[in-house]
Amino acid sequence: MAAPLTREQVLAWLDVVKDPEIPVLSVVELGVVRDVIIGDESVIVEITPTYSGCPAMHVMEDEIRAALGAHGIIAQVRLVFREPWTTAWMSDASREKLRAYGIAPPEPEAIAAPGLVALRRQHTVACPHCGSPRTVLKSEFGSTACKSIHVCSDCRQPFDHFKAI
């Protein structure tokens, strides 16, 4: 007799589903997966988009269904908007994975308080390559809308910064 399916097992299986725009983080590590509901016939995975209109959501939904389908699980994916996604849902380990990949992670202290978000935020972004705080913002938008482009004044490397929201 097989052991009953647990939330922890489903989350472990979902760890293979990577964000298509940031392939070093899974949807679980990114904080996109908000809940797993185990029913008699299927599993419902609730996810929250990082921002409305994120083009990666459909890919994530398909890959969640495929990852669980590989284990014989019929999965439904439900978008939930109970709370807006925030970079505060990312763990310190996830931030370190971003830095090791060459993306400056969002700084916890830079996350705005609830309410209005400043259109231009001025704060120091440390270079993920050499750690220097001497960096220059080159563009508010990087390879995706959730990232900005910076250049390090010390090692002269360009890099993406995952914006804190």
Side-chain angles (χ1 to χ4, degrees):
M1 181 172 165
L5 185 62
T6 65
R7 180 179 192 276
E8 290 71 29
Q9 181 62 64
V10 171
L11 289 173
W13 288 335
L14 291 178
D15 202 45
V16 301
V17 179
K18 304 300 182 192
D19 180 320
E21 296 174 337
I22 307 169
V24 293
L25 293 182
S26 75
V27 292
V28 175
E29 295 170 314
L30 195 56
V32 166
V33 174
R34 301 307 303 155
D35 203 0
V36 171
I37 302 160
I38 300 173
D40 293 334
E41 301 292 324
S42 66
V43 170
I44 298 172
V45 178
E46 293 185 337
I47 62 174
T48 296
T50 53
Y51 66 94
S52 62
C54 174
M57 294 311 293
H58 294 296
V59 173
M60 289 183 197
E61 291 176 41
D62 291 344
E63 292 186 4
I64 287 170
R65 281 189 284 273
L68 296 183
H71 295 280
I73 305 297
I74 299 170
Q76 299 174 37
V77 180
R78 183 187 302 158
L79 290 177
V80 293
F81 301 95
R82 289 187 291 266
E83 306 169 77
W85 181 87
T86 170
T87 50
W89 294 352
M90 296 169 61
S91 68
D92 289 342
S94 298
R95 293 173 206 283
E96 188 50 42
K97 281 184 175 182
L98 283 176
R99 186 182 337 277
Y101 188 63
I103 298 173
E107 304 82 9
E109 65 276 6
I111 297 170
L116 298 176
V117 175
L119 293 177
R120 295 185 65 89
R121 295 177 251 177
Q122 298 295 324
H123 61 275
T124 301
V125 174
C127 175
H129 304 292
C130 72
S132 171
R134 295 182 355 103
T135 61
V136 177
L137 173 67
K138 289 296 184 181
S139 173
E140 287 284 344
F141 296 98
S143 57
T144 62
C146 58
K147 292 182 257 176
S148 55
I149 297 175
H150 297 254
V151 173
C152 179
S153 298
D154 287 333
C155 72
R156 303 196 182 275
Q157 291 293 314
F159 63 91
D160 276 342
H161 170 240
F162 197 109
K163 299 174 192 172
I165 54 173

